[in-house]
């Protein structure tokens, strides 16, 4: 019960922080404002997060965990391009389903230098996670085989390109002419021949 309550408070704080940051800009929002919006004290905020930046960092960490779990859950015999497409699509699907809330946050991250730097740090960790997972799936030795790292890097390059393209969209649909799901499928249509051509 206590754990559930903690999770609820953390979720409320995260939602309040992300929406305020996206609406007003990273530098304009204070921890006091976030706590007030979430209906908790400043002290409570600091029990969950060390800073307002950490709220966004947690959002990014969740994205990476979703990708690795998504790859691990794919059928063993599936082509690498299919498995990786599904893995990187997991957070994109969630973002698309909540575009009204997720898109402003994605824009905030990509347009705020301090947050973009943290995003790039997390991408490096995601690449390591996907590399290890892919090597295990394919029975590849990371000490001698470049394929898992290259494949993970290609998948994340596609993910990054899609987020940038989606964040640049204008108009009522908030994502321009294509949603993240369509964009990532288009990207993998380009990558798939290379990803699948060197596998056993």
């Amino acid at each position: 019960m206590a754990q559930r309550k903690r999770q609820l408070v953390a979720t409320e704080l995260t939602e309040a922080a992300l929406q305020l940051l996206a609406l007003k800009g990273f530098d304009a929002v204070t921890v006091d404002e976030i706590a007030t919006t979430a209906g908790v004290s400043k002290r409570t905020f600091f029990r969950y997060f060390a800073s307002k930046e950490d709220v966004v960092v947690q959002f990014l960490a969740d994205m990476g965990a979703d990708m690795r779990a998504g790859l691990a859950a794919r059928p063993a015999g599936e082509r690498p391009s299919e498995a990786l497409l599904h893995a990187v699509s997991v957070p994109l699907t969630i973002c698309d389903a909540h575009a009204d809330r997720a898109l402003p946050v994605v824009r905030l991250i990509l347009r705020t230098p301090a947050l973009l730097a943290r995003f790039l740090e997390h991408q490096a960790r995601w690449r390591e996670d996907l590399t290890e997972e892919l090597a295990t799936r394919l029975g590849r030795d990371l000490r001698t085989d470049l394929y898992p790292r290259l494949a993970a890097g290609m998948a994340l390059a596609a993910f990054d390109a899609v987020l940038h393209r989606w964040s640049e969209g204008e108009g009522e649909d908030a994502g321009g002419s294509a949603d993240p799901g369509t964009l990532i499928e288009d990207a993998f249509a380009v990558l798939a021949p290379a990803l699948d051509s060197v596998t056993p």
Side-chain angles (χ1 to χ4, degrees):
M1 190 70 168
Q3 181 61 32
R4 188 167 176 226
K5 185 180 177 184
R6 271 188 66 81
Q7 187 56 53
L8 285 171
V9 173
T11 299
E12 284 174 20
L13 278 169
T14 300
E15 287 284 326
L18 292 177
Q19 295 316 304
L20 274 173
L21 293 169
L23 180 67
K24 300 176 73 172
F26 184 74
D27 294 327
V29 176
T30 66
V31 169
D32 282 318
E33 282 182 276
I34 295 170
T36 299
T37 302
V40 299
S41 67
K42 187 175 176 181
R43 187 175 172 187
T44 298
F45 175 91
F46 284 118
R47 278 197 209 118
Y48 290 85
F49 301 105
S51 67
K52 60 185 180 180
E53 185 180 282
D54 278 0
V55 180
V56 182
V57 169
Q58 186 57 53
F59 173 78
L60 296 173
D62 291 344
M63 275 185 153
D66 288 345
M67 283 189 213
R68 181 164 194 166
L71 182 57
R74 300 308 301 171
E78 192 170 50
R79 288 181 290 121
S81 65
E82 282 292 318
L84 285 167
L85 168 60
H86 285 286
V88 300
S89 292
V90 173
L92 291 175
T93 300
I94 295 169
C95 282
D96 191 32
H98 305 283
D100 57 329
R101 288 180 295 165
L103 184 53
V105 175
V106 169
R107 285 177 171 156
L108 173 76
I109 291 168
L110 297 180
R111 297 172 186 181
T112 307
L115 298 180
L116 179 58
R118 299 302 296 270
F119 178 54
L120 295 174
E121 284 175 21
H122 274 272
Q123 278 202 36
R125 288 180 208 159
W126 301 347
R127 186 171 58 249
E128 292 305 310
D129 287 346
L130 291 180
T131 295
E132 290 170 9
E133 193 64 45
L134 196 57
T136 300
R137 285 175 61 83
L138 300 174
R140 300 284 188 120
D141 186 344
L142 287 177
R143 294 168 300 177
T144 58
D145 196 333
L146 288 174
Y147 176 82
R149 192 173 305 282
L150 286 170
M154 290 166 69
L156 286 174
F159 175 83
D160 188 62
V162 166
L163 279 188
H164 277 83
R165 170 64 186 82
W166 188 49
S167 76
E168 290 160 4
E170 302 294 341
E172 254 183 49
D173 62 350
S177 59
D179 61 83
T182 301
L183 290 169
I184 198 66
E185 286 179 6
D186 291 347
F188 268 80
V190 175
L191 299 180
L195 286 170
D196 296 336
S197 65
V198 293
T199 56

